[in-house]
Amino acid sequence: MTIAASRPLSTVREAPAHEPDRDAGARHGVQRTAVVGPLELEAGGKLPEVTLAYETWGTLAPDAGNAVLIQHALTGSAHVAQGDSDEEGWWDGLVGPGRAIDTDRFFVVSVNIIGGCNGSTGPSSPAPDGKPWGSRFPFITLRDAAAAEARLADRLGIRQWFAVVGGSMGGARALEWAAGFPDRVRKCAVIAVGAHSTAEQIALAQAQTLAIRQDPAFRDGDYYGGPAPEAGLALARRIAHISYRSEAELEARFSRKPQDGEEPLSASALAERGRYQVESYLDHQGSKLVRRFDANSYIALTEALMSHDVGRGRGGVEAALADSPVEFFVAAVESDRLYLPSQSEALAAALPGDVAVHRIASEIGHDGFLTEAGQLGALLGTTRYIW
């Protein structure tokens, strides 16, 4: 596969603060883009111009008090719900008319993170010289992402979000909004993620980025116009996906069963042996990601998540959030072995007030925050977090 630079699907004119873009609800679940200007980055780099891709559902109230920001996970996109499009959303069970986050009541916004490859400025986007950024793309953090999204909120006429909601990396992004812009967030839902990336999480992430970098086609990140590092990206996804699912779920689904038509224990040479079903499953997950995601974006966003620490430069987690006026909702997946429930408990303990940790009952593992959307919606409802 040859990778070309990404191009925005449409561009919203840059509206001044006193002239918000009020027509954003006209096309529900259809990608739009907005130019939000240059961005000085936390680590010292700079993007001379940032474009953000986003989607909206529902209608913004005259006082803009019904806006909800939903943050996607590592390889997600802004397409949270199907809306007027032909494509299913990744959180359709949670977002839509009559759902827990009711688009008949709320104006829902989701933004493709900077560094991504689904319409926002990222490594595959043109740099000022017209060539893809590639290896020149600067290091970004989740704080940089929140800063860029705040500018988009300005253009949409949203001074304060009714809620910012996210799971996994999306939850870390939501937490950065609460810490960095506390006056602009009324409620914050942090799901299946802790206050900072742990040593183990960084170690797993480093193995994934190294898998991509060691692919001969990677060419230090300047592979656009030629073969993409598909093998490295697929391997990175395999490593990640093992941590997204629980041991119990993998055992129940696959155990030691061979893949149909293959025999792992019958081969005259190592290279000729057949696969177990779980190996075929991981191969499938890798192949799926290669078809829709850019390897450089995978590295950029993985390293942004590695940098996640809401207490960094703020005196620690408790100090960062001690005086926050934000109302927090924290939830963990019981079987999560990537972001352990104990990390959610530590986050809740550091938050002001008495914040409970709600449990999503699932044997799946980390991905339970996606697959158990109905259960999550019920938790949001019974705690009166949304209603």
Side-chain angles (χ1 to χ4, degrees), residues 202-228:
I202 292 170
L204 283 167
Q206 191 261 2
Q208 295 166 50
T209 59
L210 190 61
I212 297 171
R213 289 188 166 109
Q214 290 188 338
D215 187 318
F218 183 62
R219 296 174 53 197
D220 294 326
D222 295 316
Y223 52 82
Y224 301 108

Side-chain angles (χ1 to χ4, degrees), residues 76-112:
S77 71
H79 194 60
V80 172
Q82 183 167 342
D84 296 331
S85 76
D86 296 327
E87 181 184 355
E88 292 183 356
W90 54 265
W91 239 357
D92 272 322
L94 187 70
V95 180
R99 305 269 165 74
I101 301 179
D102 189 349
T103 51
D104 288 336
R105 174 184 174 188
F106 295 109
F107 178 66
V108 175
V109 181
S110 186
V111 186
N112 182 229

Side-chain angles (χ1 to χ4, degrees), residues 6-39:
S6 63
R7 292 290 188 272
L9 301 183
S10 61
T11 301
V12 179
R13 65 186 177 84
E14 187 172 336
H18 65 275
E19 188 183 346
D21 177 14
R22 289 280 181 179
D23 70 339
R27 294 173 292 170
H28 309 290
V30 177
Q31 188 183 94
R32 312 176 78 207
T33 63
V35 178
V36 298
L39 189 65

Side-chain angles (χ1 to χ4, degrees), residues 142-373:
L142 302 185
R143 293 186 192 181
D144 296 325
E149 292 157 9
R151 295 186 187 177
L152 176 61
D154 291 340
R155 279 139 180 81
L156 296 175
I158 299 167
R159 174 57 195 164
Q160 183 185 58
W161 297 104
F162 176 84
V164 182
V165 181
S168 193
M169 186 183 78
R173 293 166 66 192
L175 193 58
E176 274 300 330
W177 259 96
F181 302 93
D183 60 329
R184 303 197 65 171
V185 180
R186 182 176 164 190
K187 302 184 178 190
C188 178
V190 183
I191 303 156
V193 76
H196 58 81
S197 293
T198 66
E200 182 178 56
Q201 289 153 6
I202 292 170
L204 283 167
Q206 191 261 2
Q208 295 166 50
T209 59
L210 190 61
I212 297 171
R213 289 188 166 109
Q214 290 188 338
D215 187 318
F218 183 62
R219 296 174 53 197
D220 294 326
D222 295 316
Y223 52 82
Y224 301 108
E230 295 182 352
L233 179 58
L235 178 55
R237 182 62 166 188
R238 289 177 178 89
I239 297 168
H241 202 78
I242 295 168
S243 69
Y244 297 161
R245 298 294 173 131
S246 72
E247 187 276 337
E249 196 252 353
L250 292 176
E251 182 65 22
R253 286 182 65 182
F254 305 113
S255 186
R256 295 182 49 80
K257 292 180 287 189
Q259 177 64 10
D260 292 346
E262 300 186 32
E263 180 50 67
L265 299 179
S266 178
S268 59
L270 284 173
E272 297 174 3
R273 80 160 179 86
R275 298 171 299 171
Y276 293 95
Q277 282 188 7
V278 70
E279 293 177 289
S280 176
Y281 170 70
L282 292 175
D283 289 346
H284 174 65
Q285 295 300 325
S287 297
K288 280 203 309 182
L289 187 71
V290 163
R291 292 194 294 268
R292 68 175 179 85
F293 215 78
D294 176 48
N296 272 328
S297 283
Y298 194 98
I299 291 174
L301 301 186
T302 297
E303 295 192 348
L305 185 53
M306 289 164 74
S307 77
H308 168 52
D309 180 0
V310 75
R312 184 181 65 251
R314 295 169 173 153
V317 178
E318 290 190 20
L321 300 163
D323 299 322
S324 176
V326 178
E327 179 184 344
F328 287 95
F329 171 95
V330 177
V333 180
E334 289 182 344
S335 58
D336 197 338
R337 58 176 174 175
L338 177 59
Y339 291 97
L340 302 176
S342 60
Q343 293 173 254
S344 295
E345 292 166 0
L347 169 62
L351 295 172
D354 185 14
V355 178
V357 177
H358 303 280
R359 298 299 184 106
I360 299 171
S362 172
E363 291 295 322
I364 285 178
H366 182 65
D367 276 353
F369 83 92
L370 293 170
T371 62
E372 301 296 336

